[in-house]
Amino acid sequence: MQHTVIDILPNPTRRQVAALPLRERDGRVEVCLVTTRTSHRWTVPKGWPIKGCKDHVAARIEAEQEAGLTGRPHKKALGSFLYWKRWADRFERVEVSLYPLRVTGALRAWKEQAERRVQWMRLTDAVIIVDDPGLASLLRRLMGRAPGDEGSAGSYQLRS
């Protein structure tokens, strides 16, 4: 029986929560991405669950701290994706639950403002620019269309 490196690593999957900040501009849904602090890859605001806090609320807090965005998170995750977290001495497999966040405002200053870039973009552009294939797949599913379409969110509703 052949094993892949992933099969034999003694590395259980850990959990994170993430916000998918969304807004509507000119009839199109846009997503806000942030860069990671060390490798500067584009991703969504994410972090470890907060003890005593529901996951969708923790995701909203991550959006405030990493992107300076406020809003209303959905209580149900859009889905989840796996990625390898880079530490100084190892990699760790993490499963991220992604909570859509309808953005209602932006802060003038926020915790990680000097550490990250923040950028609004169309869903079609976000699918191309994110580094995590699982995240890209969830963004495609949100669009409800093929990757080359014009950035419509398909059946997803921004309004509550």
Side-chain angles (χ1 to χ4, degrees):
M1 177 177 179
Q2 268 190 322
H3 292 283
T4 65
V5 174
I6 292 174
D7 291 333
I8 60 175
L9 285 176
N11 194 0
T13 301
R14 292 189 60 196
R15 265 185 3 96
Q16 284 189 326
V17 296
L20 179 62
L22 299 166
R23 72 178 182 189
E24 191 172 334
R25 286 287 185 266
D26 299 324
R28 294 176 189 225
V29 174
E30 293 182 335
V31 61
C32 184
L33 298 180
V34 299
T35 55
T36 60
R37 288 189 286 192
T38 54
S39 63
H40 309 289
R41 295 173 299 113
W42 288 102
T43 190
V44 289
K46 63 183 178 296
W48 306 109
I50 300 170
K51 188 174 182 171
C53 194
K54 293 185 179 188
D55 285 349
H56 69 281
V57 175
R60 178 187 53 79
I61 292 168
E62 290 298 329
E64 288 177 10
Q65 292 178 348
E66 295 184 9
L69 300 173
T70 60
R72 200 164 146 203
H74 286 240
K75 292 180 181 179
K76 184 179 177 192
L78 178 66
S80 64
F81 64 96
L82 293 172
Y83 84 104
W84 288 94
K85 174 125 179 96
R86 295 174 173 113
W87 297 101
D89 61 343
R90 70 189 188 287
F91 286 84
E92 187 169 23
R93 192 171 128 174
V94 178
E95 181 176 10
V96 182
S97 296
L98 185 63
Y99 293 87
L101 175 78
R102 185 170 50 94
V103 174
T104 57
L107 303 172
R108 291 179 191 252
W110 60 93
K111 185 176 180 180
E112 297 179 16
Q113 185 171 8
E115 302 172 59
R116 300 177 187 274
R117 290 180 55 203
V118 178
Q119 182 67 52
W120 283 99
M121 62 189 72
R122 293 179 359 178
L123 284 168
T124 51
D125 296 330
V127 167
I128 295 166
I129 201 170
V130 295
D131 191 49
D132 300 303
L135 176 56
S137 177
L138 285 175
L139 294 174
R140 270 190 221 98
R141 192 171 92 196
L142 176 64
M143 287 168 36
R145 297 171 182 235
D149 277 347
E150 294 302 312
S152 166
S155 63
Y156 182 79
Q157 297 295 315
L158 268 183
R159 294 168 192 84
S160 342

